[in-house]
Amino acid sequence: MSATSAHRTIDRVDIIGVPMDLGASRRGVDMGPSAVRYAKLNERLRNLRIPEIYDHGNLQVPLREEFEHGDQHAKYYDIIDQVCGRLAAEVEHILNSSGFPIVLGGDHSIAMGTLAGLTKARGKPPGLVWVDAHSDINSPATSSSGNVHGMPLWFALQKGYAESKHTVQIGLRDVDPSEKENLRASGVAAFTMSDVDRLGMTRVMEQAIGIAGGDGRPIHMSFDMDAIDPSEAPGTGTPVKGRLSFREGHLAMEMLAESGQLGSIEMVEINPILDTRNQTAILAVGLICSGLGKSIL
């Protein structure tokens, strides 16, 4: 099956890895990009008959052992921000070269760089579908841990790299009490797991695509693998039962592909140390392929 959708053919894909673990307290997520490549990402993309596939390797990320964590309320933020600046430049270059960016994490703090690059290339923030068990909208003032991977959406909104009226969160299962106030104040549309249960993923995605891409703008999918139930994605740092199923994840990606508006994909929070036979990375590759047009028939 070629990488086609209702309105768009993807002719070029650009892959970039960001082995970031500075935003999280649990180690191992920096090996996520390697795990996804080991799960045959490039081979699976070639099977979609995409004409051009470029893998740019990994950005260099400093080791946390080289630095003090700095501000207790936003640990390693200055270093994370520097890496995100380099990621933004790479993503901007990919878009200016007519590529489709696939960004492999690393922890979710890298989303600040991806969104910055998309915004700079297009002159406005993308529509944003954020699939995650957590809302990641803590601020340094509200975070109890100081881990920046719980703050990227807050920073992106503050810096103008995301717009609340075009941002949708799906799959929320675990939100800090003070974070709930940030989420309500932000105006971001949020679908919890209870919403998914009541409405079904089809209706949730129809609404999400309408909100994120309502004015025809390209949609960025930022997919945290801890949104998938640990029975199917055990290789994440915060496994809790009652999350999205394998099929719900694929349906979300398939519907984005069919919309013709998917413009970039980000897969984060894959921790091979906690995984079983690379199961989570293999699932991530399958989700990417669904977003690029792979279908059952």
Side-chain angles (χ1 to χ4, degrees):
M1 184 81 182
S2 62
T4 60
S5 68
H7 304 289
R8 183 183 183 196
T9 298
I10 296 172
D11 296 319
R12 169 175 167 167
V13 163
D14 290 73
I15 303 161
I16 183 163
V18 191
M20 173 75 76
D21 73 346
L22 296 171
S25 56
R26 204 163 192 174
R27 307 300 296 274
V29 75
D30 57 316
M31 294 185 283
S34 294
V36 173
R37 290 186 176 99
Y38 185 72
K40 301 182 179 180
L41 173 62
N42 284 270
E43 180 180 329
R44 295 283 301 278
L45 293 178
R46 286 195 294 271
N47 290 341
L48 292 177
R49 299 180 183 176
I50 297 170
E52 296 181 81
I53 300 169
Y54 298 98
D55 192 328
H56 300 268
N58 290 344
L59 289 182
Q60 184 177 0
V61 179
L63 296 175
R64 69 170 65 199
E65 285 80 7
E66 298 176 8
F67 302 93
E68 298 293 330
H69 62 60
D71 185 353
Q72 182 68 25
H73 300 288
K75 298 173 184 174
Y76 302 104
Y77 176 78
D78 290 343
I79 305 167
I80 292 169
D81 190 50
Q82 290 173 19
V83 175
C84 284
R86 299 203 305 273
L87 174 58
E90 291 285 347
V91 170
E92 183 179 9
H93 175 72
I94 288 168
L95 281 184
N96 289 337
S97 302
S98 301
F100 181 105
I102 297 177
V103 182
L104 308 176
D107 70 62
H108 217 158
S109 66
I110 69 171
M112 296 185 292
T114 305
L115 291 168
L118 296 172
T119 301
K120 291 174 181 177
R122 297 188 178 121
K124 64 181 179 180
L128 176 58
V129 176
W130 189 283
V131 176
D132 200 329
H134 309 91
S135 63
D136 290 353
I137 201 168
N138 261 312
S139 70
T142 62
S143 173
S144 60
S145 68
N147 292 330
V148 176
H149 76 157
M151 308 178 196
L153 185 54
W154 184 84
F155 277 113
L157 289 166
Q158 292 295 311
K159 295 182 178 183
Y161 301 142
E163 292 180 349
S164 59
K165 65 180 179 180
H166 290 292
T167 298
V168 184
Q169 295 197 316
I170 298 173
L172 298 183
R173 181 76 168 76
D174 184 15
V175 182
D176 296 338
S178 57
E179 194 176 18
K180 292 179 183 179
E181 297 179 11
N182 291 351
L183 183 56
R184 293 190 189 103
S186 73
V188 167
F191 293 92
T192 67
M193 280 307 305
S194 295
D195 295 321
V196 174
D197 291 339
R198 285 196 300 266
L199 300 173
M201 183 56 87
T202 298
R203 188 171 170 191
V204 167
M205 284 304 301
E206 287 173 347
Q207 293 186 41
I209 291 167
I211 294 167
D215 62 356
R217 71 179 59 199
I219 295 173
H220 173 59
M221 166 57 87
S222 189
F223 203 118
D224 187 322
M225 288 301 293
D226 76 11
I228 302 293
D229 195 83
S231 63
E232 298 174 295
T236 65
T238 51
V240 178
K241 291 184 178 180
R243 297 182 177 178
L244 296 174
S245 70
F246 175 98
R247 272 306 310 153
E248 286 169 332
H250 275 283
L251 180 58
M253 299 303 289
E254 290 162 1
M255 290 184 68
L256 278 172
E258 290 167 4
S259 77
Q261 290 182 250
L262 184 62
S264 49
I265 297 173
E266 182 173 55
M267 284 283 170
V268 301
E269 300 286 356
I270 298 163
N271 192 328
I273 292 176
L274 305 174
D275 210 359
T276 302
R277 296 187 175 183
N278 216 29
Q279 180 178 344
T280 305
I282 292 168
L283 174 54
V285 170
L287 291 168
I288 291 169
C289 290
S290 288
L292 295 178
K294 184 180 185 300
S295 61
I296 296 171
L297 294 177

